[in-house]
Amino acid sequence: MASDKFVMRHIGPRDQEIQEMLNVLGVSTLDELISQTVPDNIRLKNPLNLEDGLTERQYFRKILALASKNKVFNTYIGMGYYDTITPAVILRNVLENPVWYTSYTPYQAEISQGRLEALLNFQTMVCDLTGMEMANAGLLDEATAAAEAMVMMWNSRSRAKAKANSNVVWVDEKVWPQTLDVLITRANPLGIELKVADWKNFELNDNAFGVIVQYPNSDGQIVDYSALTKTAHEKEIFVAVAADLLSLSILTPPGEWDADIVFGSSQRFGVPMGYGGPHAAFFASKDFFKRNMPGRIIGVSKDAHGNRALRMALQTREQHIKREKATSNICTSQALLSNMAGFYAVYHGPEGITQIANRIHCITALLEKEISSLGYSQLNSTYFDTIRFELPRHVKREDIEWLSLELEMNFRYFENGEVGLSIDETTNLDDINWIIEVFAKAANKPFGKITEYPAICTIQPEFLRTTNFMQQEVFNKYRSETEMVRYIKKLEHKDISLTHSMIPLGSCTMKLNAATEMLPLSWIEFGGIHPFVPKNQARGYHEMMEELRRDLAEITGFADVSLQPNSGAAGEYAGLMVIRQYHISRSEGHRDVVLIPSSAHGTNPASAVMAGMKVVVTPCDERGNIDVEALRQKAEEFKDTLSCFMVTYPSTHGVYESSITELCEIIHSHGGQVYMDGANMNAQVGLTNPSRIGADVCHLNLHKTFAIPHGGGGPGVGPIAVAAHLVEFLPSHPVMNNGHVGITAVSAAPWGSASVLPITYGYIKMLGADGLKRASEIAILNANYIANALKDNYGILYTGENGRCAHEMILECRHLKAASGITEGDIAKRLMDYGFHAPTLSFPVHGTLMVEPTESESKQELDRFIDALTGIFNEIQAVASGVMDKEDNPLKNAPHTSDVVTADDWNHSYSRQTAVFPLAWLKENKYWPPVARVDDAFGDRNLVCTCEPIESYK
Ligand SMILES: Cc1ncc(COP(=O)(O)O)c(C=O)c1O
């Protein structure tokens, strides 16, 4: 194979090794293995109709050419997206750093202390700025955060309110249009009545359970909602506030006027606009809501030796545990972007953030003064960064528009002809003069050059913040770049990522995120574009997205794709809403039952509940396959109300069920639709596809199959692909025409997390049709190679008809526990001593580990992993046979820190060598867990989810 082919960089094993592995499996070719694994009746007859793979160099030129078709103007549109300066130290050491972007969601706390600390910083910053008691580690975007706030208020209603079915939420008409649209989408299926009005006219009576307002509002006006909040509380009505995080450094935070929930976007804390995303939303509330709070909360706890240790708190709130009782489906979120925003706060500190906010306000005030002097009327009586002008009678809006475009600037244009400007931290003196020039020329007035901007503040004193924030040490320590880079590195060194070793997480597909795929992320031509600019400024984006949609349609066999959903679970929700709308369009809106196999991921039932569906769980048989007869019975029983069936393929049990086409036929024959969860699409690409198996809609986890990195828990991208009869229902957008006219928006941005799409685009373009198929085949080979090596000691829970697993397998651990008392959790922690991240723990079957190696892992790495698990198996045998103590053994005490093994005292019945160097190669490349086993229960009992206050350091 030519050495410049990307496929040979993406795929781990060399040709020679592939042959060796096939020999071990007793087959002579890859084709033979695949035909033993993938049922013949679903195999594709023809190769994918995609171009041949490009070399990395060719792709680089191609993406560069596309980037140059995007025009980066100075954009003053605002509306939730602002230009920002990403400190280079954060760009280089976080966004561009594979340790940060290839790590996984911090479920395994001991090897995630660095990113847990970064997220705790984010939470602390959010709590302080909003004035709230607690905050989570981030949500998908501002609009979906608004929907989460609405649903959390709904689920937290007093018993009396719930009994009386108080179902009205009042929303101020001056929230962002995209926020309103997503609220409409989410309210409808749940039976929540959304009333939109001027907040002064809210009827706060017994029917209402919540209000949502924006601060400053969508015009830019700062409004005093304290009286509204007081009245609402008197009627047991919650108050949720969409806020601008930066403004809260100088404005009275909503927590100080007793708001219940404060949410918004943290984008302008150093995260590029990226044509709409990804950015982390923030979400803060009173402590009262802690058990209902969506998303992940990082909390402080202690390890086995009493040392401070961080971990994800209150995990019983999460959708995968609550299943059909779930109130939110958030799984993958925006961790990498939360980290960036948190680091921005660390680097600037409270005084830096305040300075930035003050400067923005001064420039805005100056512009108000100058533009008003030209005859325009500014309409906001008090504002932070946004002003709105009524034009003099002789000035035409069109003139402003073309004059501003001439100078490469975008302003906001209201429907009534007024013009808005939102200033950001990048705005400088030149920009100020250009803005004034446009307004002056349009009014035919002379104008003088501004040479400085005075420190003026037009905000009325009653709105000004008087309290301190971010006083904790971490926000006051790292001002020089040298100190900052060392802090980032200090955290980084605590974590395991793909740069250390394979991350064998079943269902998560931790494959290579190639550097060439990642490079364009840092380019201003992708990062510097506001999502609401005229489309002709984003030609490169649109060309790429069109091609990407076409390619993904080809790969799935479907007719069209929506790029809007920004996580897998968001895709599930979008797909189910599309199905719902399809039934409604056929006057069958009563179809609301969804059949979900017991092996499904927790987000499936959670998304179904959010889409207003009734979940009916169907069983699997003893071989792990969906029980066809049981499904048939349920489909028959619910034939009049059957909406759809959600199925993951290959199954979460790691098997290609040959009954899949029959299952789909059963559903269709009873009037239902088939939703395919695309988490395992990496075992389908080029071999079969969702259309071929009989599905109608699927989501794709671009952050699994299509090389977008996991980022420590996001970004995720979850586009949906649909069959022709569903295209007309794909989600639209209230501000931009995104080419679809179906349901209202499911995410804030018209094309979701557009700025990470070049990663997937690059992945497809560089692998091409052959490479994509090869990736699926090697994923299957690698999994079967591991399964073969471990089948005799652990045992593989489920296999297909020919004894093969798909791209992942479930390792049985329950017999080991019965014999030795060693649990799957102990095995997971002991793997850390061997330098590995644990496989997926107890999903989808309790007491097991699910392993997915991916195609990117080499034979050497697979062998290392097999060695580690074999070593652990031998240790378990030693415990079972009494050679090792039942309690004092390296498994129960894992992971071992350097502190513990270098202490003067060593009171264990096994050696220090056994503890930390159980295999020879560890001496050459040792990862040291920074904390010992973390005590989850302690942290949940004593919930602390912010950094310690400054006093604790004195
Ligand atoms: C089978 C399956 N479905 C759905 C999801 C949810 O995807 P996301 O985390 O992107 O929301 C996952 C996530 O791990 C999964 O494994």
Side-chain angles (χ1 to χ4, degrees):
M1 191 175 287
S3 65
D4 60 350
K5 285 266 183 197
F6 176 68
V7 67
M8 76 163 271
R9 304 293 181 196
H10 177 76
I11 284 177
R14 305 296 89 193
D15 287 349
Q16 167 71 23
E17 292 167 338
I18 290 173
Q19 203 48 55
E20 284 165 30
M21 291 160 78
L22 290 169
N23 293 346
V24 170
L25 295 178
V27 289
S28 40
T29 61
L30 252 185
D31 274 349
E32 190 181 343
L33 175 67
I34 300 306
S35 53
Q36 286 179 7
T37 311
V38 187
D40 199 42
N41 64 332
I42 58 165
R43 287 290 297 274
L44 294 181
K45 300 286 172 256
N46 297 312
L48 290 172
N49 185 15
L50 301 172
E51 293 141 39
D52 290 342
L54 301 176
T55 65
E56 292 181 70
R57 175 87 182 145
Q58 286 167 332
Y59 173 69
F60 191 79
R61 283 170 177 271
K62 183 178 176 82
I63 194 73
L64 204 59
L66 283 174
S68 70
K69 293 184 185 176
N70 291 333
K71 299 285 167 241
V72 184
F73 284 18
N74 281 349
T75 296
Y76 305 101
I77 294 174
M79 298 181 78
Y81 304 93
Y82 307 86
D83 206 355
T84 177
I85 299 166
T86 311
V89 63
I90 296 174
L91 180 78
R92 170 147 294 192
N93 296 292
V94 182
L95 183 66
E96 296 179 341
N97 179 344
V99 176
W100 287 96
Y101 68 69
T102 70
S103 57
Y104 185 62
T105 311
Y107 281 110
Q108 296 294 331
E110 295 82 358
I111 48 99
S112 311
Q113 290 295 305
R115 51 197 194 276
L116 283 164
E117 179 166 327
L119 291 174
L120 191 76
N121 293 344
F122 175 84
Q123 288 179 183
T124 306
M125 175 262 288
V126 169
C127 279
D128 275 24
L129 282 169
T130 57
M132 301 304 286
E133 287 165 345
M134 62 181 301
N136 70 16
L139 293 176
L140 292 169
D141 58 43
E142 176 163 351
T144 55
E148 296 291 341
M150 173 179 73
V151 174
M152 188 167 94
M153 294 192 287
W154 165 254
N155 287 314
S156 309
R157 287 173 301 172
S158 67
R159 219 175 263 171
K161 286 244 171 205
K163 207 164 158 213
N165 194 26
S166 304
N167 71 337
V168 172
V169 61
W170 284 95
V171 181
D172 186 37
E173 61 195 9
K174 291 193 171 161
V175 300
W176 305 129
Q178 65 272 22
T179 298
L180 185 57
D181 220 44
V182 173
L183 283 170
I184 291 168
T185 313
R186 290 280 285 274
N188 194 314
L190 297 179
I192 294 173
E193 194 182 339
L194 198 96
K195 294 203 174 178
V196 184
D198 179 338
W199 66 274
K200 293 191 208 79
N201 301 328
F202 286 176
E203 292 161 29
L204 298 183
N205 53 31
D206 289 344
N207 285 339
F209 69 87
V211 309
I212 301 176
V213 291
Q214 190 174 306
Y215 177 79
N217 73 15
S218 65
D219 286 351
Q221 173 74 33
I222 303 170
V223 178
D224 179 359
Y225 299 114
S226 54
L228 172 78
T229 305
K230 192 157 178 286
T231 314
H233 287 167
E234 281 160 11
K235 306 268 174 157
E236 291 191 349
I237 296 167
F238 297 120
V239 176
V241 182
D244 179 300
L245 201 58
L246 186 59
S247 76
L248 299 184
S249 63
I250 57 174
L251 300 183
T252 311
E256 290 181 20
W257 35 267
D258 209 21
D260 298 288
I261 303 169
V262 187
F263 63 89
S265 171
S266 64
Q267 179 265 315
R268 67 194 308 184
F269 277 50
V271 181
M273 291 182 287
Y275 207 40
H279 319 125
F282 67 87
F283 193 92
S285 75
K286 290 181 177 164
D287 186 66
F288 166 80
F289 295 97
K290 70 178 172 222
R291 302 219 171 252
N292 278 335
M293 188 176 255
R296 299 187 168 122
I297 303 170
I298 308 309
V300 182
S301 186
K302 57 178 189 176
D303 75 359
H305 308 301
N307 298 317
R308 178 181 183 269
L310 307 176
R311 91 283 176 245
M312 298 202 309
L314 300 173
Q315 288 194 50
T316 45
R317 298 162 309 110
E318 286 211 25
Q319 31 66 29
H320 60 274
I321 300 174
K322 282 197 189 167
R323 299 197 136 238
E324 52 272 28
K325 290 200 184 64
T327 50
S328 157
N329 66 348
I330 298 284
C331 185
T332 293
S333 192
Q334 306 280 23
L336 186 66
L337 301 315
S338 296
N339 286 336
M340 285 181 70
F343 279 127
Y344 178 95
V346 166
Y347 199 37
H348 286 297
E351 77 284 359
I353 301 270
T354 310
Q355 241 171 47
I356 292 170
N358 274 328
R359 187 174 169 278
I360 287 174
H361 177 68
C362 291
I363 293 175
T364 316
L366 174 69
L367 283 168
E368 176 192 34
K369 182 166 149 273
E370 294 298 322
I371 297 170
S372 301
S373 73
L374 298 167
Y376 297 82
S377 317
Q378 205 283 118
L379 302 174
N380 291 332
S381 58
T382 186
Y383 53 82
F384 162 57
D385 66 349
T386 299
I387 36 185
R388 176 171 174 157
F389 291 100
E390 192 179 12
L391 310 188
R393 216 175 278 155
H394 67 285
V395 175
K396 290 211 284 293
R397 178 203 125 140
E398 292 70 31
D399 288 342
I400 302 241
E401 197 165 354
W402 77 257
L403 283 163
S404 60
L405 288 173
E406 283 279 289
L407 289 172
E408 304 203 330
M409 294 190 292
N410 297 303
F411 298 164
R412 180 175 176 195
Y413 301 100
F414 291 87
E415 270 174 22
N416 66 356
E418 288 159 9
V419 178
L421 291 175
S422 292
I423 302 310
D424 60 62
E425 68 164 316
T426 69
T427 312
N428 60 31
L429 267 179
D430 285 339
D431 302 328
I432 296 170
N433 281 306
W434 285 324
I435 293 170
I436 296 169
E437 182 179 332
V438 168
F439 281 89
K441 280 189 173 163
N444 216 1
K445 293 262 173 83
F447 62 98
K449 202 167 164 66
I450 302 288
T451 51
E452 60 176 3
Y453 44 87
I456 29 175
C457 174
T458 65
I459 303 170
Q460 280 118 25
E462 66 267 30
F463 291 113
L464 287 174
R465 180 168 190 137
T466 54
T467 47
N468 281 337
F469 59 93
M470 286 165 41
Q471 296 300 297
Q472 298 81 354
E473 187 184 42
V474 70
F475 298 114
N476 293 281
K477 202 171 168 188
Y478 307 109
R479 292 292 176 271
S480 74
E481 181 166 334
T482 305
E483 285 298 325
M484 186 66 188
V485 79
R486 286 185 190 146
Y487 176 58
I488 294 172
K489 290 285 160 190
K490 179 178 118 182
L491 298 192
E492 177 183 323
H493 290 150
K494 296 183 180 191
D495 288 6
I496 282 189
S497 71
L498 279 179
T499 63
H500 297 88
S501 49
M502 72 186 272
I503 302 189
L505 283 162
S507 207
C508 298
T509 315
M510 304 291 292
K511 64 168 66 174
L512 170 76
N513 315 117
T516 302
E517 292 156 2
M518 295 295 295
L519 284 175
L521 236 77
S522 312
W523 299 348
I524 191 167
E525 291 86 349
F526 287 112
I529 310 238
H530 188 289
F532 303 157
V533 298
K535 278 192 192 167
N536 62 9
Q537 291 172 29
R539 282 212 181 97
Y541 260 119
H542 285 281
E543 231 175 82
M544 175 196 67
M545 292 194 296
E546 277 312 299
E547 240 183 286
L548 185 58
R549 274 171 58 196
R550 255 198 330 266
D551 289 352
L552 294 176
E554 168 65 18
I555 288 167
T556 54
F558 283 135
D560 201 357
V561 170
S562 162
L563 298 171
Q564 198 179 83
N566 44 13
S567 74
E572 291 168 23
Y573 175 73
L576 293 175
M577 291 298 286
V578 163
I579 290 176
R580 179 175 179 272
Q581 201 56 36
Y582 165 75
H583 288 310
I584 291 172
S585 76
R586 291 157 49 94
S587 309
E588 294 205 320
H590 58 279
R591 287 189 173 273
D592 64 355
V593 169
V594 52
L595 304 181
I596 303 183
S598 55
S599 57
H601 192 259
T603 50
N604 287 191
S607 302
V609 170
M610 284 165 51
M613 295 185 181
K614 298 193 179 83
V615 176
V616 175
V617 178
T618 67
C620 293
D621 64 22
E622 71 289 345
R623 298 195 55 176
N625 295 325
I626 294 168
D627 182 333
V628 180
E629 284 321 306
L631 186 89
R632 195 189 307 279
Q633 243 177 36
K634 290 288 180 205
E636 176 65 29
E637 182 184 338
F638 293 102
K639 66 177 187 301
D640 296 330
T641 52
L642 182 62
S643 170
C644 60
F645 169 51
M646 288 185 94
V647 62
T648 307
Y649 199 78
S651 74
T652 54
H653 288 163
V655 175
Y656 292 89
E657 289 157 279
S658 49
S659 57
I660 186 68
T661 49
E662 187 184 355
L663 297 172
C664 294
E665 277 160 24
I666 294 171
I667 299 301
H668 287 141
S669 69
H670 291 94
Q673 294 281 290
V674 176
Y675 181 94
M676 198 204 80
D677 178 327
N680 293 343
M681 190 66 201
N682 57 316
Q684 288 195 36
V685 178
L687 302 175
T688 180
N689 69 40
S691 169
R692 179 103 175 93
I693 67 170
D696 302 284
V697 46
C698 73
H699 77 259
L700 299 170
N701 295 70
L702 300 193
H703 49 299
K704 296 182 179 186
T705 305
F706 294 96
I708 291 180
H710 281 69
V717 185
I720 54 171
V722 297
H725 63 284
L726 297 177
V727 172
E728 63 183 291
F729 308 110
L730 287 173
S732 58
H733 194 270
V735 182
M736 297 298 287
N737 174 359
N738 69 352
H740 295 126
V741 293
I743 59 172
T744 41
V746 296
S747 317
W751 299 277
S753 296
S755 71
V756 291
L757 294 176
I759 302 171
T760 293
Y761 181 74
Y763 176 79
I764 294 174
K765 293 296 159 201
M766 289 192 286
L767 281 183
D770 291 348
L772 287 167
K773 178 166 174 250
R774 180 93 173 163
S776 305
E777 290 169 342
I778 302 297
I780 292 168
L781 172 67
N782 278 1
N784 277 285
Y785 181 73
I786 291 183
N788 181 68
L790 299 176
K791 67 177 184 314
D792 294 333
N793 43 28
Y794 288 84
I796 308 304
L797 190 54
Y798 301 119
T799 53
E801 279 152 21
N802 297 316
R804 300 294 181 200
C805 63
H807 62 303
E808 61 192 4
M809 85 230 61
I810 298 178
L811 295 183
E812 183 56 279
C813 303
R814 289 169 293 192
H815 60 108
L816 301 176
K817 181 179 172 191
S820 65
I822 302 297
T823 65
E824 68 284 2
D826 296 328
I827 300 173
K829 303 302 174 195
R830 182 62 175 150
L831 268 169
M832 298 171 183
D833 286 332
Y834 283 81
F836 284 105
H837 191 293
T840 302
L841 201 63
S842 282
F843 170 78
V845 181
H846 277 287
T848 66
L849 295 170
M850 182 159 53
V851 175
E852 178 181 8
T854 83
E855 69 277 12
S856 300
E857 294 304 338
S858 66
K859 180 170 177 294
Q860 290 125 271
E861 186 68 358
L862 302 182
D863 286 337
R864 261 182 9 100
F865 180 65
I866 291 166
D867 281 355
L869 273 179
T870 308
I872 289 175
F873 176 78
N874 292 336
E875 290 171 358
I876 298 172
Q877 293 312 107
V879 175
S881 64
V883 173
M884 275 190 183
D885 188 80
K886 282 234 165 330
E887 288 309 318
D888 185 31
N889 59 58
L891 295 133
K892 287 282 175 206
N893 293 335
H896 297 81
T897 61
S898 55
D899 219 19
V900 163
V901 287
T902 55
D904 291 340
D905 293 335
W906 178 260
N907 299 321
H908 299 293
S909 55
Y910 55 96
S911 70
R912 288 176 155 105
Q913 286 279 328
T914 305
V916 295
F917 295 124
L919 289 174
W921 43 255
L922 282 162
K923 295 207 169 146
E924 194 191 308
N925 187 12
K926 174 72 185 168
Y927 163 79
W928 291 98
V931 295
R933 202 172 296 195
V934 175
D935 185 340
D936 284 326
F938 176 84
D940 281 356
R941 276 196 311 274
N942 307 281
L943 187 65
V944 176
C945 51
T946 53
C947 304
E948 284 82 348
I950 188 81
E951 299 80 55
S952 68
Y953 296 94
K954 284 181 178 158

